[in-house]
Amino acid sequence: MKILVINAGSSSLKYQLIDMETEQVLAKGLCERIGVDGKFSHKSVNGEVSKDVELKNHADAVENVIEALTDKEYGCVASLDEIAAVGHRVLTAGEKIYETVLITDEVKEIVRECIPLGPLHNPANLTGIEACEKAMPGIPQVAVFDTAFHHTMPEKAYLYGLPYEYYEKYGVRRYGFHGTSHRFVTQRTAKLLGKSVDEVNLITCHLGNGSSITAVKNGKCIDTTMGLTPLEGMLMGTRCGAIDPAIVCFIGEKEGLSYAEMDTLMNKKSGLLGVSGVGSDFRDVTKAWREGNHRAGVALEMFAYQCKKYIGSYYAALGGDVDAIVFTAGIGENDGRMRASIVEGLEGLGIKMDAELNAGKCVDKVVSTADSKIKILVVPTNEELMIAKDTAEIVENL
Ligand code: ADP
């Protein structure tokens, strides 16, 4: 069975075609600058192509994806009939849907109703879905929600200390994001530890451009750092993470900024970029720090310190009963120095890093010492495979 996975963003569309029998990626690619001008790159087991092409909207992008997948030279399927289903990454359906579902008109309506909770992503996800429905009639379309894994959080973890009416009226609560990634590494870690998923207690650290940390008890999320939106939690590439909420009014008033401008400031101009003044990419900030840039060094220290504090708080939330701390995503998988800084000083909690095992990029590997009470693992995430597996399960049961 071949599943096409679509991840539609506001101006981009990423895709992968996965063979479910072998879990091999047959093709993957990226449509960029949709609605601006257009750039398309595609790589399959048979060849690759990269070109500037007009992408007026997501429908144009999907058309290019289909052409590339079926191309005689660099394609990998003879016809679209070989594709059993399309799995879409969808940001949120609020509290209304959290399980993977076959997309119907009703599902699309709910995703549309939840646009206020995901103003950038939900509209793009819908456009991606509708473009695929049109281009591939009859092929089942499935939605996998980014918030899904976190729906098991108890009220005490997801409610904010605000008047309850805003939860009832507008759904203001913690939803959490990167759910597909946290779920993938939870399942993979359970396997690596030789346990069943419902037996593992973990602290999963997804450290990438966006970063979030999740406390997992018996395989289920009990708390996570991102909130109503992906802005809460750790300092990230361009996002400030958790700050004193009064700062919003303070800076807004001083600088005469509107809510929308404050939102941009916190989402796009803060984090590693805002503190270091160098950039949002971890490698650029690290390079600047090595060259003696003080603010770059402080930004990296803040990153490690904040992650350490969340690990400590989730250790408490789990009552100290933690099997492993898991690092994943761009920074978590590749940057051994950062992983070491994060867990440094946690030996008293039974968390001991093995410097030799931890060096460099690690794949599905235990990097703690043999006597570390809590193991430390590096597990590469694979959200696309998770989406494809969920999608396959839905279509197998149709
Ligand atoms: P996203 O999927 O959220 O865009 P990724 O998971 O790809 O993000 O992570 C991107 C981040 O990972 C960037 O900040 C990048 O600098 C960092 N990164 C990627 N490779 C390395 C590496 N080898 N060492 C350190 N950081 C890395």
Side-chain angles (χ1 to χ4, degrees):
M1 183 191 287
K2 295 183 181 109
I3 303 279
L4 178 62
V5 177
I6 298 278
N7 182 356
S10 51
S11 67
S12 71
L13 185 143
K14 290 187 212 159
Y15 64 94
Q16 280 194 13
L17 184 70
I18 300 177
D19 181 332
M20 298 314 291
E21 276 71 46
T22 58
E23 295 188 356
Q24 188 192 5
V25 176
L26 300 172
K28 66 196 279 191
L30 171 65
C31 306
E32 291 172 280
R33 301 175 63 85
I34 299 173
V36 185
D37 38 31
K39 208 170 176 337
F40 177 66
S41 53
H42 164 95
K43 193 174 180 179
S44 88
V45 283
N46 299 318
E48 58 189 276
V49 60
S50 179
K51 55 185 177 183
D52 290 332
V53 55
E54 190 183 16
L55 300 173
K56 290 189 295 298
N57 47 41
H58 287 73
D60 281 355
V62 169
E63 207 172 285
N64 274 275
V65 173
I66 291 173
E67 264 174 36
L69 290 173
T70 50
D71 188 86
K72 289 212 166 53
E73 191 190 327
Y74 44 78
C76 54
V77 291
S79 88
L80 290 183
D81 297 340
E82 287 183 38
I83 299 175
V86 184
H88 295 266
R89 179 182 186 181
V90 183
L91 187 78
T92 181
E95 286 187 323
K96 298 206 171 94
I97 320 171
Y98 39 78
E99 276 155 352
T100 297
V101 288
L102 185 71
I103 297 173
T104 59
D105 287 344
E106 195 193 344
V107 169
K108 283 190 285 180
E109 197 42 46
I110 292 172
V111 174
R112 197 164 289 123
E113 280 167 24
C114 290
I115 286 175
L117 296 173
L120 294 179
H121 294 88
N122 272 24
N125 300 154
L126 276 169
T127 328
I129 290 167
E130 279 166 354
C132 286
E133 282 176 337
K134 226 172 168 184
M136 293 177 251
I139 297 183
Q141 311 282 326
V142 170
V144 181
F145 294 95
D146 213 37
T147 46
F149 185 60
H150 304 301
H151 86 277
T152 47
M153 272 187 284
E155 272 178 307
K156 66 181 177 190
Y158 72 65
L159 280 178
Y160 289 114
L162 289 164
Y164 196 77
E165 63 185 278
Y166 299 117
Y167 166 58
E168 291 177 309
K169 268 209 282 197
Y170 308 124
V172 174
R173 51 159 284 181
R174 175 184 312 285
Y175 290 100
F177 298 89
H178 291 144
T180 310
S181 173
H182 289 289
R183 183 155 60 101
F184 180 86
V185 297
T186 295
Q187 292 183 1
R188 187 97 193 99
T189 304
K191 222 178 198 170
L192 292 167
L193 295 178
K195 290 190 161 195
S196 77
V197 176
D198 53 13
E199 272 176 0
V200 286
N201 294 347
L202 307 171
I203 299 171
T204 52
C205 308
H206 177 112
L207 308 178
N209 241 330
S211 295
S212 67
I213 302 165
T214 293
V216 177
K217 191 178 171 73
N218 299 327
K220 293 193 167 65
C221 167
I222 59 158
D223 207 349
T224 190
T225 55
M226 284 180 167
L228 174 74
T229 73
L231 181 58
E232 200 186 343
M234 282 194 53
L235 164 110
M236 310 177 208
T238 60
R239 288 172 241 169
C240 59
I243 56 169
D244 178 345
I247 294 171
V248 179
C249 305
F250 186 88
I251 295 182
E253 228 170 80
K254 291 267 183 216
E255 298 277 316
L257 301 179
S258 66
Y259 288 129
E261 286 167 330
M262 265 317 288
D263 194 63
T264 305
L265 185 148
M266 294 187 293
N267 273 293
K268 301 251 154 73
K269 300 180 183 168
S270 300
L272 294 172
L273 168 68
V275 176
S276 71
V278 171
S280 62
D281 193 286
F282 217 75
R283 287 162 293 193
D284 296 341
V285 181
T286 305
K287 183 168 171 280
W289 162 67
R290 289 194 199 286
E291 289 164 3
N293 183 316
H294 171 72
R295 275 169 50 189
V298 176
L300 296 175
E301 277 183 79
M302 287 171 70
F303 190 89
Y305 181 62
Q306 294 189 6
C307 187
K308 190 197 303 284
K309 287 207 295 187
Y310 279 119
I311 290 174
S313 66
Y314 287 166
Y315 174 90
L318 290 162
D321 185 8
V322 184
D323 297 302
I325 292 164
V326 188
F327 288 105
T328 193
I331 300 161
E333 290 166 28
N334 294 295
D335 195 329
R337 195 197 68 82
M338 182 45 62
R339 290 193 297 263
S341 311
I342 291 167
V343 298
E344 187 190 336
L346 298 182
E347 294 79 7
L349 299 182
I351 302 167
K352 293 189 203 166
M353 182 73 95
D354 183 314
E356 235 167 76
L357 291 176
N358 181 51
K361 182 175 169 67
C362 301
V363 176
D364 290 346
K365 185 175 171 195
V366 175
V367 295
S368 45
T369 59
D371 67 340
S372 182
K373 186 166 86 57
I374 297 173
K375 288 191 165 60
I376 308 168
L377 280 93
V378 181
V379 177
T381 192
N382 193 338
E383 287 159 286
E384 289 78 12
L385 181 59
M386 192 82 254
I387 292 171
K389 281 184 172 175
D390 272 17
T391 303
E393 205 178 311
I394 293 275
V395 289
E396 273 160 7
N397 293 311
L398 277 182

